[in-house]
Amino acid sequence: MSEQTEHHATRQRTRHVVVVGAGMAGVQSAVALREAGFTGAVTLIGAEPHQPYDRPPLSKAVLLGKAEDSAFDVDFEALDITLRLGLDVTALRAADHILDTVEGPVRYDVLVLATGAEPITLPGSEGVPGVHLLRTLDDAARLRPVLDRQHDVVVVGAGWIGAEFATAARAAGCSVTVVEAAARPLAGALPAEVAAPMADWYAASGAELLTGARVDRVEEGAVVLADGRSLPAGAVVVGIGARPATGWLAGSGVALGPDGSVTADSALRTSLPDVYAVGDCASFPSARYGARLLVHHWDNALQGPRTVAAAILAAENGEPMPVYDPVPYFWSEQFGRFVQYAGHHAHADTLLWRGDGAEAAWSVCWLRDGALVAVLAVSRPRDLAQGRKLIESGAVLDPERAADPAVPLKSAAL
């Protein structure tokens, strides 16, 4: 071992990385550090008392009683990762390299913020019996008996989580009404013409979708709409979005964006030295899309930690910083369909359909200056897989061939 290598190893052994947040992003950050060869102390702090777990199954297998939990298959002891669970972090004193927790201060040399996002609550619904969110294992546990008893369920919000919960509730035999303030489902995520066919999925599954419907108030046993209609509700599930869980960083000096996200740089470093941020709580600059992205999806929480680990080791060893610029990806299982999306279509100038939205399987491509920038695939996984690679390579497509669902998407590249 050279003197320089020995010096780096010694530095690593004496340094302590603390990861706040024990969801996918936090767990993977701790694991990625070990996989990258980091030999210092690693502590993972989680607010929930449960063993760290994956969230996507909560709206599917866990909710329907097909799985008790979705704990990560990670041997933290073997990886020498210290778990501190059921511990609330209350503040960051960056100048002192200290986290304040309900059990006292925790010192760090390097800090990774992976606190995720918290669901937005429906104003006036706090404390009303029978109102639920679906974000945690405890939320899913509280909702399981609701589905077992086949209550009338009102879902507020026709976004991804609302559609997934409505799907599970219908599978359990519940009567389901979905209330959406906008004129269509997924109004914040997709253009009107793309979301339009999805509205029909609700009725086909036996759920009622009410669009342009604002909630005036929630009472025990009922949801009252602004137009005076009262919907019977044995349970109310609110799925109106989430915001980065960063309120505890107020006054810490960590720069936050208008959306509440930690504004990380391309190596996922924050505005403070020795502090990184990853997953749902952090936005990052995308050179690919010329925009700052806040991606609230599982794949981002899986991919970002590798960059965080590489950046921490690069800083340790005086090496060039890695760059995080992924093609965002997510999927949703709803109403018997597998919906996948890759890319970012905000600045696209061309929309191409591959197939008919009224059919069981179709996809949509977004181009900018002829290059594919995003693809949405409904039960056409091959389009998604090929489209994702084409986006990564910046491929320019022949629009005529790209719009022909019989032509493999990769064959439309010029």
Side-chain angles (χ1 to χ4, degrees), residues 33 42 58 76 82 97 127 152 206 223 225 270 289 308 331 353 393 406:
L33 278 165
V42 177
L58 296 185
F76 294 101
T82 302
H97 279 55
D152 288 343
V223 173
L225 302 182
T270 73
Y289 290 107
V308 164
W331 82 97
W353 284 83
S393 68

Side-chain angles (χ1 to χ4, degrees), residues 91-100 106-109 111 113 248-249 251-254 270-275:
L92 166 60
R93 287 185 275 151
D96 302 320
H97 279 55
I98 286 177
L99 286 168
D100 287 320
V106 174
R107 293 192 168 275
Y108 68 86
D109 295 306
L111 178 64
L113 305 174
W248 67 281
L249 292 168
S252 67
V254 172
T270 73
S271 59
L272 296 179
D274 304 320
V275 182

Side-chain angles (χ1 to χ4, degrees), residues 170 174-176 201-208:
R170 285 300 299 140
C174 297
S175 169
V176 178
W201 300 352
Y202 288 79
S205 79
E208 185 176 11

Side-chain angles (χ1 to χ4, degrees), residues 350-354 365 367 370-371 396-404 409 412-414:
T350 304
L351 175 65
L352 299 175
W353 284 83
R354 285 173 60 79
C365 296
L367 309 182
V396 172
L397 302 189
D398 175 336
E400 204 170 306
R401 287 176 65 75
D404 183 348
L409 198 50
L414 293 172

Side-chain angles (χ1 to χ4, degrees), residues 150-155 162-163 165-179 198-210 334-337:
Q150 298 189 336
H151 277 300
D152 288 343
V153 176
V154 173
V155 180
F165 180 79
T167 300
R170 285 300 299 140
C174 297
S175 169
V176 178
T177 304
V178 180
V179 176
M198 298 175 170
D200 298 332
W201 300 352
Y202 288 79
S205 79
E208 185 176 11
L209 173 64
L210 303 178
Q334 50 183 269
F335 307 119
R337 290 165 173 84

Side-chain angles (χ1 to χ4, degrees), residues 328-369:
Y329 166 74
F330 74 89
W331 82 97
S332 174
E333 294 175 71
Q334 50 183 269
F335 307 119
R337 290 165 173 84
F338 188 41
V339 183
Q340 294 172 283
Y341 176 95
H344 179 67
H345 67 264
H347 304 295
D349 52 39
T350 304
L351 175 65
L352 299 175
W353 284 83
R354 285 173 60 79
D356 184 339
E359 300 294 325
W362 49 273
S363 56
V364 168
C365 296
W366 285 269
L367 309 182
R368 186 178 186 189
D369 298 329

Side-chain angles (χ1 to χ4, degrees), residues 54-411:
D54 203 5
R55 292 186 195 280
L58 296 185
S59 60
K60 305 171 185 77
V62 174
L63 192 58
L64 290 170
K66 294 174 182 173
E68 278 311 303
D69 63 31
S70 53
F72 290 115
D73 184 18
V74 174
D75 189 336
F76 294 101
E77 196 175 345
L79 291 170
D80 195 19
I81 295 168
T82 302
L83 287 183
R84 297 194 63 181
L85 303 176
L87 181 59
D88 273 316
V89 176
T90 54
L92 166 60
R93 287 185 275 151
D96 302 320
H97 279 55
I98 286 177
L99 286 168
D100 287 320
T101 79
V102 291
E103 292 176 10
V106 174
R107 293 192 168 275
Y108 68 86
D109 295 306
V110 177
L111 178 64
V112 179
L113 305 174
T115 45
E118 54 201 2
I120 296 169
T121 54
L122 188 65
S125 70
E126 297 91 335
V128 178
V131 177
H132 301 263
L133 298 164
L134 181 52
R135 186 76 189 180
T136 68
L137 192 57
D138 290 340
D139 293 337
R142 282 188 288 267
L143 276 163
R144 263 167 65 171
V146 170
L147 298 191
D148 290 342
R149 291 194 293 268
Q150 298 189 336
H151 277 300
D152 288 343
V153 176
V154 173
V155 180
V156 182
W160 301 113
I161 195 70
E164 289 183 7
F165 180 79
T167 300
R170 285 300 299 140
C174 297
S175 169
V176 178
T177 304
V178 180
V179 176
E180 171 56 54
R184 61 184 188 275
L186 293 165
L190 295 172
E193 62 187 288
V194 177
M198 298 175 170
D200 298 332
W201 300 352
Y202 288 79
S205 79
E208 185 176 11
L209 173 64
L210 303 178
T211 54
R214 293 195 172 274
V215 174
D216 179 65
R217 63 188 184 278
V218 178
E219 301 168 349
E220 188 171 358
V223 173
V224 181
L225 302 182
D227 63 9
R229 280 181 289 177
S230 180
L231 308 174
V236 179
V237 176
V238 178
I240 54 175
R243 62 167 65 92
T246 54
W248 67 281
L249 292 168
S252 67
V254 172
L256 303 179
D259 52 15
S261 67
V262 178
T263 52
D265 70 5
S266 60
L268 300 181
R269 295 173 294 189
T270 73
S271 59
L272 296 179
D274 304 320
V275 182
Y276 298 76
V278 66
D280 287 6
C281 72
S283 61
F284 57 89
S286 169
R288 185 191 308 279
Y289 290 107
R292 177 165 283 277
L293 302 183
L294 174 61
V295 180
H296 278 189
H297 294 296
W298 185 89
D299 191 66
N300 180 50
L302 176 68
Q303 306 293 345
R306 294 171 197 162
T307 299
V308 164
I312 290 170
L313 285 167
E316 292 279 325
N317 301 326
E319 294 166 353
M321 281 287 149
V323 172
Y324 187 60
D325 195 1
V327 173
Y329 166 74
F330 74 89
W331 82 97
S332 174
E333 294 175 71
Q334 50 183 269
F335 307 119
R337 290 165 173 84
F338 188 41
V339 183
Q340 294 172 283
Y341 176 95
H344 179 67
H345 67 264
H347 304 295
D349 52 39
T350 304
L351 175 65
L352 299 175
W353 284 83
R354 285 173 60 79
D356 184 339
E359 300 294 325
W362 49 273
S363 56
V364 168
C365 296
W366 285 269
L367 309 182
R368 186 178 186 189
D369 298 329
L372 186 66
V373 292
V375 60
L376 172 80
V378 176
S379 301
R380 284 183 66 104
R382 203 168 281 174
D383 278 4
L384 191 288
Q386 294 179 12
R388 195 176 181 182
K389 287 180 181 164
L390 292 169
I391 296 167
E392 280 170 358
S393 68
V396 172
L397 302 189
D398 175 336
E400 204 170 306
R401 287 176 65 75
D404 183 348
V407 173
L409 198 50
K410 63 182 180 185
S411 301

